[in-house]
Amino acid sequence: MADWDLLLTNARIATMAAKTPGYGEIEDAALAISGGRIAWIGSREDLPDGDAAKTLSLEGRWLTPALIDCHTHLVFGGDRSGEFEQRLEGASYEDIAKAGGGIMATVRATRGMSADELFAAALPRVQALAAEGVATIEIKSGYGLDVDNEIKMLEVARRLGETSAVDVRTTLLAAHTVPAEYQGKADEYTDLICNDLLPEVAARGLADAVDAYCESIAFTAPQVARVFRKAGELGLPVKLHADQLSDGGGAELAAHFNALSADHLEYTSVSGAKAIAESGAVAVLLPGAFLTLGETQKPPIDELRRQGVPLAVASDCNPGTSPICSLRNAMMLASRLFRLTPLECLAGVTREAARALGLADDRGTLEVGKRADIAAWDIHHPRELSYWIGTPQLAELLLAD
Ligand code: DI6
Ligand code: FE
């Protein structure tokens, strides 16, 4: 007879398991949890005999894997509503960045804040995501752009994970933009990242991955390649902001370095999509940035689908291009703007988001052995999670620990 910590009964389950068709629906289901892991899942009539320390009836509610926001920049100082206004008056994102605004404005605000102040500013964002069913959040640095401030950001991100119920994965994005003090000296700043910052971050275990922004206003492919080679030497996986504003061969570059994911991809070519497919990287779609920038060129969704590239969806929560602290809204936008189906949207914030973080074996689907991070919803069908706009439907978020 099995011993379980918790037995969930009278539930409808969308397992989101890769091998099952559709949502992997199980009607009148039960799910048993032991030691924070799923110990049994299936139809209630097949449930083996067992003793559960606690039993919870879900009263017919739907269970899905807890959501995963696999791309955020939610630790930052200040806001950029002034630039939002300027853009609506005609300035472009690149114009503002070249005039010293854009990312650099947030860098100045972030450098000017203590770790405690940054933590206090970021905590409500983490709580807002958790309130809509998110249990895992990736948080990038990239607004410090020197050794001390990048480390400060990563420490704040780690602390957010330690002090909240949400699991935080951190990503070093020192190659986000060239800081003002290195203007015209991008190679020297790349040296600083490779020689000083990366080794210290790796030695202190502060980052789970390394990201870079490959773009005409940011870093060239050879500079990104140096950062990625160093990350590889230090045993850290990589991911890339690729082809967001122009086709800079970012998808190919990400594929070449076996990146976990290539993110944005608005300007990715057919050959770029093929390269991602062959490498096995996840395409992370960020419709909040597409919306905010008034972008008209969409990621090559049909080509990515044809090539069998896994599609993830994330909020990209940041003060410049995606001031959207809601993964449900990102799902909603992915369906409206990129025509992802509700099934693709839900897979994109569960199974494929886990894969984009290198956590596919650990979470993102409801299967035996996986982490028991489970969202219970007041809905009649899981497609509603992309359909409703701004409608809270989370009944409960059950977390492994
Ligand atoms: N692409 C983005 O959309 C964000 N970073 C990036 O590389 C923008 C970050 C910002 O504007 O503050
Ligand atoms: Fe981003």
Side-chain angles (χ1 to χ4, degrees):
M1 226 172 61
D3 269 332
W4 300 307
D5 299 331
L6 177 62
L7 177 64
L8 307 178
T9 61
N10 196 11
R12 306 165 83 186
I13 294 182
T15 67
M16 301 309 290
K19 289 180 201 86
T20 46
Y23 296 86
E25 297 102 314
I26 311 173
E27 293 286 340
D28 194 9
L31 188 155
I33 298 167
S34 272
R37 298 274 148 184
I38 297 173
W40 192 88
I41 182 168
S43 294
R44 183 159 51 165
E45 58 185 23
D46 298 333
L47 183 68
D49 285 341
D51 267 338
K54 191 178 162 197
T55 299
L56 191 64
S57 165
L58 272 300
E59 288 156 18
R61 289 199 179 90
W62 275 94
L63 302 182
T64 70
L67 309 187
I68 298 172
D69 196 348
C70 68
H71 181 141
T72 86
H73 309 245
L74 66 69
V75 171
F76 58 82
D79 72 82
R80 303 238 292 280
S81 55
E83 291 176 13
F84 169 67
E85 209 161 50
Q86 277 176 272
R87 281 207 308 277
L88 288 172
E89 287 161 4
S92 74
Y93 182 67
E94 285 99 326
D95 293 340
I96 292 168
K98 283 190 187 126
I103 297 177
M104 274 317 292
T106 302
V107 171
R108 286 190 294 274
T110 304
R111 286 179 176 176
M113 281 167 73
S114 68
D116 285 348
E117 289 167 334
L118 283 173
F119 177 86
L123 187 60
R125 298 175 197 130
V126 169
Q127 289 166 337
L129 288 167
E132 53 173 24
V134 177
T136 304
I137 305 177
E138 185 254 19
I139 303 178
K140 301 175 195 294
S141 68
Y143 293 124
L145 307 186
D146 61 27
V147 173
D148 289 351
N149 283 294
E150 284 293 297
I151 286 176
K152 176 175 75 179
M153 287 190 71
L154 293 173
E155 285 175 339
V156 168
R158 281 273 189 250
R159 201 170 128 202
L160 286 164
E162 284 152 14
T163 55
S164 69
V166 165
D167 192 35
V168 168
R169 310 294 293 185
T170 59
T171 300
L172 178 72
L173 176 59
H176 196 188
T177 194
V178 179
E181 60 275 20
Y182 280 91
Q183 265 326 308
K185 296 186 289 187
D187 283 322
E188 285 174 43
Y189 178 62
T190 310
D191 291 341
L192 176 85
I193 296 174
C194 294
N195 301 337
D196 300 320
L197 185 53
L198 259 169
E200 179 154 359
V201 164
R204 291 175 56 185
L206 284 172
D208 301 308
V210 172
D211 194 348
Y213 190 19
C214 185
E215 192 58 64
S216 55
I217 56 168
F219 293 87
T220 63
Q223 288 159 350
V224 172
R226 284 178 56 208
V227 173
F228 281 5
R229 268 195 294 276
K230 187 71 191 186
E233 284 167 26
L234 295 166
L236 288 167
V238 299
K239 33 186 50 252
L240 187 66
H241 281 71
D243 309 327
Q244 181 187 7
L245 307 172
S246 60
D247 180 8
E252 290 87 342
L253 185 64
H256 179 77
F257 281 93
N258 278 317
L260 288 170
S261 68
D263 302 36
H264 287 291
L265 304 177
E266 276 79 347
Y267 287 84
T268 293
S269 63
V270 170
S271 65
K274 283 195 178 120
I276 302 178
E278 278 159 23
S279 77
V282 176
V284 178
L285 305 173
L286 304 165
F290 178 92
L291 174 79
T292 302
L293 292 176
E295 186 54 78
T296 49
Q297 167 118 358
K298 295 180 190 180
I301 305 289
D302 285 341
E303 189 59 32
L304 292 166
R305 279 193 191 114
R306 247 195 306 277
Q307 298 287 337
V309 176
L311 305 177
V313 174
S315 71
D316 198 15
C317 174
N318 79 73
T321 61
S322 194
I324 165 179
C325 204
S326 163
L327 192 56
R328 287 287 306 280
N329 275 326
M331 295 167 74
M332 182 278 285
L333 291 173
S335 63
R336 270 71 174 184
L337 299 175
F338 297 161
R339 302 199 62 78
L340 259 62
T341 65
L343 175 59
E344 287 173 321
C345 289
L346 186 55
V349 297
T350 55
R351 183 179 72 232
E352 310 307 359
R355 199 194 300 206
L357 296 178
L359 297 173
D361 293 336
D362 186 66
R363 63 191 80 175
T365 65
L366 299 181
E367 292 175 278
V368 170
K370 292 269 175 97
R371 191 179 158 100
D373 285 346
I374 301 165
W377 306 97
D378 283 319
I379 52 176
H380 302 103
H381 191 278
R383 63 181 164 243
E384 288 180 56
L385 297 174
S386 299
Y387 163 69
W388 294 103
I389 302 180
T391 311
Q393 287 142 325
L394 184 74
E396 196 155 0
L397 184 58
L398 300 151
L399 298 173
D401 51 37

